[in-house]
Structures are given as structure tokens and as C-alpha cells.
Amino acid sequence: LCGSGAASAYDQGYEVARWFRAHRGLRPEDRVEPEKILSDWGIEVEDVAIDCKQLDAVSVWGPGHGPAILVNRKGLHGRSLGKRATLAHEIAHILLDRADALPVAEVLGGRVSPFVEARARAFAAEFLAPRSAVGPRIAGAVDPAAAVGDLRREFGASAEIIAWQALNSRIGLGAATLAYLRTLLPNQGRR
């Protein structure tokens, strides 16, 4: 499952998130609490200040310590709903990437695999707001903006995550809904 050849990074991230939700007894419509999961596992979450907006968090572990997650409060997503997504993203790294860790210096220097990061982003989105719950709600909405707002509150996810999940749900969406969702995507180069 975790090799780079069998499926795209996104597909792998989605699949692991679906498995992990099922493993925890969660239905697609259930809200997850990443910080509580990490606390239940005994994983410390520490807020730190690193002068790098592109770095949201780092998962650290070693033979005699950790794991722990350092959340950069100066990062683009280190607060509020972004922190929830950041913690979900780091859960993916803890589940999938412990054997292939990088030294902190390499992470801070930007030497992280694009495949690994894409997989963790997909995991975080699917873990927080599953496509199977988001897509039908957006597709059936008379007012897509109101539906996005409702889903943001229910799942504790950003409008961008909700939009991507609706677009990636493979459910037919009307032209006006598609146009609205695209206005929520500041970086359309990412999936």
C-alpha cells in the first residue's frame, strides 16, 4: 500500500484515512478530534514558534523518546481549524512514515518527499471530512455556500478542505456549485 508505484499518493492517503476511521469505529459523518487521539496515544503536542510560514508542524521520534508533534504557531495553518488539519496530517506521518523519517535539519531545510506530503494531506482531508459525507451534501445543496459553512462547523475543517473533498468525491456537481467551490481554492495546483 505505501509504495510509490501501486496508487497515487492521494489514493493512498484517502485509503488509509478510511481504514483508520473504520478502525476507530467512526462513521463518515462523525467528527474526529485529532488532538484527543494524540493525547490518548500519549503523544505530546507542543506549540513552538519557528520563523517559517511554510512549516506547520514536525513529528519527531527516536529510539529513546517521542513521538511528539511540534506545531508552529507562526505557520500558515498552526491555529484554529488549520491546527486540526495539521494534527491530522501529522497523524498520517506517525502511522505511515516512522520507518522513513528524516533528520529535523532536513525537514527544516525543505527536504521532504512530495509524495509523502501529498499522501499526508489527502489523509488529513479524508480523516477530517470524508468525501462520502461531503460530496452528497454539497451536490444536494440549494445554497452551496451555506452547505460549505454547515460542513465546516460539523467537521471542524476549513472551507478549502471541504471544497477539495466535494470536488474529489466523484459526485456530479452543477456548474454553479463547481464555480463556487473553485473560489475557495487559493492554490489549485494541489489536489
Side-chain angles (χ1 to χ4, degrees), residues 101-125:
L102 290 173
V104 171
E106 290 188 29
V107 171
L108 294 177
R111 292 188 53 189
V112 180
S113 162
F115 182 91
V116 167
E117 286 303 296
R119 183 178 62 198
R121 280 194 307 272
F123 173 94

Side-chain angles (χ1 to χ4, degrees), residues 5-27:
S8 79
Y10 302 109
D11 292 336
Q12 287 183 16
Y14 292 146
E15 184 63 30
V16 173
R18 280 192 304 274
W19 167 83
F20 191 54
R21 286 182 70 91
H23 174 74
R24 297 194 59 85
L26 297 166
R27 299 169 300 159

Side-chain angles (χ1 to χ4, degrees), residues 22-133:
H23 174 74
R24 297 194 59 85
L26 297 166
R27 299 169 300 159
E29 62 273 12
D30 291 339
R31 181 179 170 124
V32 298
E33 299 299 337
E35 197 152 8
K36 179 166 182 354
I37 291 167
L38 293 164
S39 175
D40 290 348
W41 286 348
I43 296 175
E44 185 177 344
V45 175
E46 178 86 25
D47 286 342
V48 297
I50 301 170
D51 287 325
C52 178
K53 288 184 180 181
Q54 290 72 34
L55 181 67
D56 293 318
V58 177
S59 293
V60 295
W61 55 82
H65 61 277
I69 297 174
L70 307 176
V71 178
N72 184 13
R73 65 177 165 262
K74 291 186 175 184
L76 294 174
H77 305 102
R79 297 171 299 281
S80 188
L81 295 180
K83 184 175 181 179
R84 290 173 49 76
T86 294
L87 293 175
H89 179 105
E90 295 306 314
I91 287 171
H93 289 312
I94 289 168
L95 291 172
L96 297 168
D97 301 320
R98 289 181 70 167
D100 297 320
L102 290 173
V104 171
E106 290 188 29
V107 171
L108 294 177
R111 292 188 53 189
V112 180
S113 162
F115 182 91
V116 167
E117 286 303 296
R119 183 178 62 198
R121 280 194 307 272
F123 173 94
E126 186 71 9
F127 187 57
L128 290 177
R131 295 170 297 162
S132 63

